[in-house]
Amino acid sequence: MERKRTAFCPSICPGIECEASNQVLEFASNKGVNTFVQRVEGRGLDRCQFGAGGTCCRNCSMGPCMMIEGVPESIGICGATPATTAARNFCRMIAAGAAAHIDHGRETVMGFLAAAKGEAPYEIKDERKLLSTAQLFEIKTEGRSIKDIAIELGEKAMAEFGRQDGGLHFIKRAPVKRQEIWKKLGILPRGIDREVTEMMHRTHMGTDQDYENLILQGSRCALADGWGASMISTELQDIMFGTPVPIRAMVNLGVLKTDEVNVVVHGHEPLLSEALAMVVDDPEIVAAAQAVGAKGVNLAGVCCTGNEVLMRHGIPIAGSFIQQEIVLATGAVEAMVVDIQCIMQSLPTVAKCYHTEIITTSPRAKITGATHIEFDHHNALQVAKDIIKRAISRYPQRGPVHIPQRKTEVVAGFSHETINHMLGGAFRASYRPLNDNIINGRIKGVGAIVGCDSARVRSGYVHTTVARELIANDVLVLTTGCAATACGREGLLTPEAASLCGPGLREVCEAVGIPPVLHMGSCVDNSRILIAATEIVREGGLGDDISQIPAVGCAPEWMSEKAIAIGQYFVASGASVIFGHTFPTTKSQVMTDYLFKDLLDLYGGCWGMENDPHDIARWMIEAIDKRREALGIHKKKERVLFDMAMRREL
Ligand code: SF4
Ligand code: MSK
């Protein structure tokens, strides 16, 4: 396909599949502003093959040791083999990714406890979820106040992090068969922090040197993330801020406003962004904005904080990870407020070319050149107001802006509870209709497209190509993170996208009125996908474990270590997962074969990697077909046309 030439050379920098972003990049480049495009062009995409393929060890000062598999003398000075080295590096990625979610989870619990005690301005919005979660944590609810129950839940959730043994409460949600597999393999997480610590210890020089044993701990560490910290984040955030329900909103650079003060939230934890959402329409704030000639304050999101406030409030998303500098380069942002994870260090440099202030808010994530205003959930509203007032004070300094007109409508807010209600109806919420449609073949299966976007690929193109191909083949897509934003930009998160589906999926989407690509939230909300998969199992008819249901995942543009942790907890939960464009163990065939083939026997799910989005989609569809065949539901049944009664039933 012929692509429009932009401010960069597509043969060096793959760029981004977004006309609006390309317009702004052109504008920025003419102004001499450097973004990821110039950095990619400056250093190219070539990289050290030892590092990229996992066979460079720098875990002690005798190294770094670079190794070539198959060359007997090409091992570490300590004797470490390429497979051991690739496994250690892979496991350290899992530990780092899990640690990011774990720290997020801990912060969420601290905010939750403060809210429960009345020391923070948040409420208990979803009492139903509070009670069901309390039950899982074996908390007595009868005759007790919501406040008491919430405090005990917060304390018990906090104890999960420091627990040394006895298992995590949310593990009990997994299918029984899956729990038995974890028990048999000895990988039931004992406590959240413990698994990360042990992973770092085992990968220390001279400790665990058996790649299979290392990956077992990698799985335990990843499970402590998915079924531990990430699930705690999602559930407690839902209880505090509300469980998402379908909501219409807008996505892309065009959500920025020319006549309002634009404040962009970026990062991951919703504690601050919720506080900003609470005060943005405060009369005091509106008056302050009007005093400098603006109509008001426009709050927009970037990355996963953006997804959090999109899911719950319909606050628009200005951009994904790869668009963060482009959002600034519109010249229309008064302040970008960041907390943790996926924040480019280049932001203050880009911001200096405009009137924009970058405000860091977490003591765990400071950036030279940014203003630091520490967020404290006890004083959340005051901090939020102070930040917005600083943004307002910048508005008079705004220069020429370049806000592309492009923005796309999305329907987001598909928590697993929403899917339950939408498909099963308000009075008999269940996954039965979904399971029945999978069994009768109208829906071939479920494909998760999650994770980051990246400067290494034509950003957005890979996600949306995989999504289009899956839905055209009747695969219902669940999406989170920056993948969801990319799908949103391309109009795939609307019910109208049903026209792009195969006939079976189209019938279902049109009957229920849902998009074929369901936005389930942020990175930590991948735990919602674990629960959705578990509910499919529980509903019956599709096997008794996640490894049997026709479901598969991908992260085609992955970039962060968190993606590796997420991938490993899906694989260890029985779902196969394919990554795109690169994989961090490829220089050890032994290790790669272990992850791509042998894990299938252990967990019922394994890893894969393909470059081309069509190959990624093909791999996923084949994996789904294999599971359909194993379940005996692969034979094409005669299509039944829906009459009105059947639609009502659905
Ligand atoms: Fe080299 Fe072994 Fe040290 Fe790694 S731990 S840097 S392989 S000597
Ligand atoms: S923000 S981890 S780039 S999804 Fe969660 Fe996006 Fe990936 Fe960051």
Side-chain angles (χ1 to χ4, degrees), residues 178 181 185 212 216 594 597-605:
R178 184 56 29 186
I181 291 170
L185 291 171
E212 295 186 10
L216 282 173
Y594 184 65
K597 294 176 190 162
D598 302 355
L599 289 195
L600 199 56
D601 294 332
L602 280 182
Y603 302 117

Side-chain angles (χ1 to χ4, degrees), residues 56-67 75-81 85 88 203-206 209:
C56 172
C57 180
R58 52 184 188 86
N59 290 10
C60 87
S61 72
M62 293 190 288
C65 298
M66 282 87 84
M67 305 159 201
I75 56 173
I77 290 176
C78 67
T81 63
T85 299
R88 285 200 296 220
T203 53
H204 183 276
M205 192 272 161
Q209 293 164 72

Side-chain angles (χ1 to χ4, degrees), residues 310-553:
L310 170 86
M311 291 280 285
R312 298 196 178 89
H313 302 287
I315 287 172
I317 293 214
S320 59
F321 165 78
I322 206 68
Q323 288 177 291
Q324 57 188 285
E325 294 167 299
I326 304 173
V327 169
L328 298 185
T330 59
V333 177
E334 275 60 49
M336 184 176 267
V337 190
V338 305
D339 54 20
I340 48 158
Q341 301 165 24
C342 303
I343 299 149
M344 290 190 183
Q345 192 176 346
S346 59
L347 291 183
T349 312
V350 177
K352 260 199 199 121
C353 305
Y354 305 90
H355 67 305
T356 313
E357 184 167 31
I358 305 295
I359 302 175
T360 54
T361 57
S362 167
R364 294 160 293 166
K366 294 190 178 181
I367 309 176
T368 307
T371 306
H372 188 74
I373 301 179
E374 199 135 311
F375 177 69
D376 169 12
H377 43 248
H378 293 97
N379 203 12
L381 298 185
Q382 194 52 51
V383 178
K385 277 187 183 174
D386 291 348
I387 286 173
I388 294 183
K389 283 180 187 166
R390 283 186 78 96
I392 291 171
S393 72
R394 293 261 168 163
Y395 184 76
Q397 299 165 41
R398 193 191 271 187
V401 299
H402 190 96
I403 305 176
Q405 288 309 298
R406 189 72 193 261
K407 56 182 172 183
T408 314
E409 191 174 53
V410 299
V411 180
F414 291 92
S415 53
H416 98 84
E417 292 86 349
T418 298
I419 296 175
N420 207 20
H421 281 102
M422 288 215 69
L423 292 169
F427 298 108
R428 52 182 192 95
S430 94
Y431 275 67
R432 191 71 255 152
L434 176 62
N435 282 29
D436 285 347
N437 277 306
I438 293 175
I439 292 165
N440 68 29
R442 257 183 221 106
I443 296 177
K444 188 190 272 288
V446 178
I449 306 181
V450 309
C452 329
D453 42 13
S454 166
R456 286 204 160 271
V457 295
R458 186 158 178 88
S459 190
Y461 169 73
V462 189
H463 283 136
T464 52
T465 305
V466 175
R468 284 174 202 278
E469 193 153 334
L470 290 182
I471 62 174
N473 282 280
D474 292 322
V475 175
L476 177 69
V477 172
L478 309 180
T479 185
T480 58
C482 295
T485 306
C487 290
R489 284 198 303 262
E490 291 291 313
L492 297 174
L493 304 184
T494 57
E496 292 73 30
S499 64
L500 303 171
C501 298
L505 180 60
R506 182 176 179 161
E507 269 180 27
V508 175
C509 289
E510 287 180 348
V512 185
I514 54 170
V517 181
L518 302 179
H519 190 338
M520 295 192 79
S522 62
C523 308
V524 292
D525 292 337
N526 285 311
S527 61
R528 296 191 200 278
I529 300 179
L530 291 177
I531 299 301
T534 303
E535 288 302 316
I536 293 173
V537 173
R538 203 184 313 282
E539 194 54 54
L542 290 169
D544 54 5
D545 181 38
I546 295 173
S547 62
Q548 288 171 277
I549 62 172
V552 62

